[in-house]
Amino acid sequence: MCAWNLVGTTPARADVPWPTASEGGRASRATSSGEDALSVSQAVEIAAGALDALPLLTVIGEVTGFRGPNARSGHCYFQIKDDAAAVDCIVWRGVYGKRSFDLRDGMQVQFTGNFNLYKPTGRMSFVAKSFTLAGEGLLRQQVAALAEKLRREGLMDEARKRHIPAFCSRVAVVTSLSGAVIDDVKRTLRRRNPLVELVCVGAKVQGEGAPDELIGALGRAAAIEPAPDCILLVRGGGSFEDLMTFNDESLARAVAACPIPVITGIGHEPDTSICDMVSDRRCSTPTAAAESVAPAMTDLAELLAARERRLASATQSLVRGAAGQVDTLAHRIVMAQGSRLAQLRSALDAAARRPCLQDPAYVVDRRVAELAQTADRLAGAIVRDQGRHRESVELLAPRLKRSTSGFSGKRHALELAASRLAHEGRALLAAPSSALSAQAASLDALSPLKVLSRGYSIAYDETGVATSADRFEPGSTIRVALADGEVTGTVTKVERGQRPQM
């Protein structure tokens, strides 16, 4: 492999003319004197060859200045750095398309690839052929996966988050009581609004067991009587690993399930934990969290003054509007009353001008005159109608006499036809009449009424004609039909097997 030596020379290459080792002194002198100097492209070619000869390298660094994928080419360009150095890095489109996660600034990533020199500009870059998360980057990936899980469950929905009062009078703070954060919160609340009551609940905010202590502290804060308006979950700044306590799943679920609204102020502005995402309000710092629940007294005074001015202005506007409405209504009432009174006055004047009110006998006199005129007209009409009817009758009499002149002949023919009809009718009815008389005589001879007329009778019980003495018992009701009526009685004695004496 090619490598730089201490004097800045390299072994000769087949494609680049270069002085031999025996000519080193002379070459060095020639170079210093300007003879046989390399061109820029030759020097870049030598450097590129040296970089190409390097094997694949595995580099761990933090991604910074990430740009990509490029809209046209799909390649990604950025730098990877550590505490002492930084190098440009390129991930071609095909390599980035096989990724299992997206690159972004701040991620700690392990790249495998080699160095490349872009000859037109002489710029060296590390071309990554593969990459994986490493160290903090892996933690960030785990945090991102947990955040996505909780987001799908709805714990980060804005609709789920509870309303926090604009003026909190009682606030609980969950944090470490030994750090500077609690002093900052107390100082901020005392400075902005000393009327806010502060309740401190201590818990570890870092290290083993910290999530469990914070969950217990949230429960104790929520159980305080009387209940606080909100709970501040705060912690000062630190590294990503220091803030991992607030990325714990159980703590995040406890924050989301807390019955009291939770406001988080964890770390600094760029730091965002899962507890920030599921809380009811996220603030950038503990101080900002304290400021959000305690408006400054001057701000409150200005707000109250502004609202007083707005209220006064609104009241004056309402009063002016109401006064205008009252004036309008009063004018409309006056106009309506005047119009109504004018109508009533006109109606009264019209009624006063009526003759019946000026002269009560006028109506009777007019009716009498009308009745007399009607009687005269009726009498004239009756005379005229009688004359017309008399003329009509006089005209009809000759016509009636002429129309009845042929009745005598027709009357004679009708009398002859009636006589013939009566004779034929008697002849046709003679035989049926004789038969009917014979049958009537036979029917009369067989009639039960005929038998009754000879002194016989018919006995009836409750069900009909009784044909046997067995139909009766002493005390039974009996009805006897005679020729001229019926007799009803009660049986006192029944003798069976005896015929009546004739």
Side-chain angles (χ1 to χ4, degrees):
M1 125 182 158
C2 297
W4 294 101
N5 59 23
L6 293 178
V7 295
T9 61
T10 61
R13 295 180 53 181
D15 56 345
V16 179
W18 190 251
T20 63
S22 61
E23 300 173 335
R26 188 173 70 250
S28 177
R29 288 191 298 273
T31 301
S32 62
S33 63
E35 298 177 358
D36 298 328
L38 298 175
S39 65
V40 174
S41 59
Q42 289 176 330
V44 170
E45 186 70 26
I46 294 172
L51 291 177
D52 290 342
L54 294 176
L56 286 176
L57 301 176
T58 299
V59 181
I60 295 178
E62 180 183 343
V63 176
T64 182
F66 182 78
R67 305 187 308 280
N70 185 273
R72 183 174 59 84
S73 65
H75 307 320
C76 300
Y77 303 92
F78 54 95
Q79 286 187 331
I80 50 176
K81 67 176 184 177
D82 57 14
D83 294 337
V87 64
D88 291 339
C89 185
I90 301 174
V91 178
W92 303 126
R93 177 175 60 183
V95 175
Y96 196 70
K98 299 176 183 179
R99 70 191 183 278
S100 59
F101 61 93
D102 292 333
L103 292 175
R104 62 177 181 273
D105 290 347
M107 297 181 68
Q108 196 78 7
V109 184
Q110 177 176 299
F111 296 93
T112 299
N114 50 23
F115 283 98
N116 174 267
L117 189 70
Y118 185 58
K119 296 176 182 179
T121 61
R123 185 170 184 174
M124 184 184 70
S125 301
F126 185 81
V127 179
K129 299 185 181 299
S130 64
F131 57 90
T132 58
L133 284 172
E136 182 179 318
L138 181 60
L139 289 177
R140 290 183 182 274
Q141 185 181 22
Q142 294 172 352
V143 170
L146 177 59
E148 179 64 18
K149 173 184 176 182
L150 298 181
R151 184 191 66 78
R152 291 177 179 175
E153 294 181 12
L155 269 65
M156 300 180 187
D157 292 346
E158 290 297 328
R160 183 201 64 80
K161 298 187 178 184
R162 291 155 296 188
H163 172 71
I164 299 173
F167 306 102
C168 297
S169 60
R170 186 176 175 85
V171 178
V173 180
V174 176
T175 188
S176 173
L177 301 182
S178 60
V181 172
I182 188 64
D183 295 332
D184 290 342
V185 171
K186 290 179 179 178
R187 185 166 50 252
T188 300
L189 292 178
R190 188 165 50 249
R191 171 175 53 84
R192 292 179 64 84
N193 193 338
L195 300 178
V196 177
E197 181 182 358
L198 183 64
V199 180
C200 301
V201 182
K204 288 174 59 177
V205 295
Q206 181 179 343
E208 184 179 357
D212 294 335
E213 285 198 24
L214 288 171
I215 293 172
L218 285 174
R220 294 195 303 274
I224 294 174
E225 292 293 341
D229 296 321
C230 65
I231 297 175
L232 299 183
L233 180 61
V234 293
R235 186 207 189 283
S239 65
F240 185 78
E241 289 81 359
D242 294 339
L243 301 179
M244 277 300 294
T245 297
F246 297 91
N247 291 320
D248 183 78
E249 181 177 359
S250 58
L251 177 57
R253 293 186 181 277
V255 170
C258 184
I260 304 299
V262 178
I263 301 174
T264 55
I266 301 168
H268 298 297
E269 178 64 35
D271 301 322
T272 301
S273 64
I274 293 181
C275 286
D276 287 325
M277 299 177 187
V278 302
S279 66
D280 298 291
R281 179 189 292 169
R282 184 255 175 187
C283 296
S284 58
T285 62
T287 302
E291 291 176 350
S292 70
V293 300
M297 296 296 287
T298 55
D299 296 341
L300 292 178
E302 292 178 0
L303 178 62
L304 289 176
R307 291 190 175 181
E308 180 184 6
R309 290 192 296 271
R310 288 173 57 192
L311 181 61
S313 176
T315 303
Q316 293 175 358
S317 177
L318 289 175
V319 170
R320 285 194 297 270
Q325 292 180 356
V326 169
D327 293 340
T328 302
L329 291 175
H331 179 68
R332 291 175 59 186
I333 290 173
V334 170
M335 295 296 294
Q337 288 180 343
S339 176
R340 181 60 177 167
L341 290 175
Q343 292 178 357
L344 294 176
R345 187 179 298 105
S346 298
L348 183 61
D349 293 341
R353 287 193 297 269
R354 296 180 62 182
C356 63
L357 296 178
Q358 295 179 351
D359 184 8
Y362 171 79
V363 176
V364 177
D365 296 340
R366 190 181 64 178
R367 295 299 183 189
V368 170
E370 291 177 353
L371 183 59
Q373 292 177 357
T374 303
D376 293 340
R377 292 170 59 191
L378 178 60
I382 291 174
V383 171
R384 288 191 298 273
D385 287 343
Q386 287 178 346
R388 285 196 302 270
H389 288 306
R390 183 180 302 108
E391 293 175 356
S392 299
V393 170
E394 291 176 351
L395 292 174
L396 290 175
R399 293 176 59 190
L400 180 61
K401 185 178 295 185
R402 288 192 300 270
S403 63
T404 57
S405 60
F407 282 178
S408 57
K410 294 178 180 179
R411 184 181 298 107
H412 179 69
L414 182 60
E415 291 175 353
L416 291 177
S419 176
R420 290 175 58 189
L421 181 60
H423 177 72
E424 292 295 333
R426 285 192 296 271
L428 289 174
L429 295 175
S433 179
S434 299
L436 180 61
S437 297
Q439 291 175 359
S442 299
L443 181 61
D444 183 61
L446 296 175
S447 174
L449 298 177
K450 193 71 171 178
V451 176
L452 292 176
S453 65
R454 294 200 299 269
Y456 291 94
S457 63
I458 302 173
Y460 295 89
D461 61 2
E462 295 178 352
T463 60
V465 177
T467 58
S468 172
D470 294 336
R471 300 280 292 272
F472 296 100
E473 294 291 340
S476 303
T477 301
I478 183 172
R479 183 167 57 88
V480 180
L482 302 174
D484 57 352
E486 292 183 353
V487 175
T488 302
T490 303
V491 177
T492 59
K493 181 179 179 182
V494 178
E495 294 181 358
R496 295 177 177 83
Q498 297 181 2
R499 290 186 178 274
Q501 298 294 328
M502 299 298 294

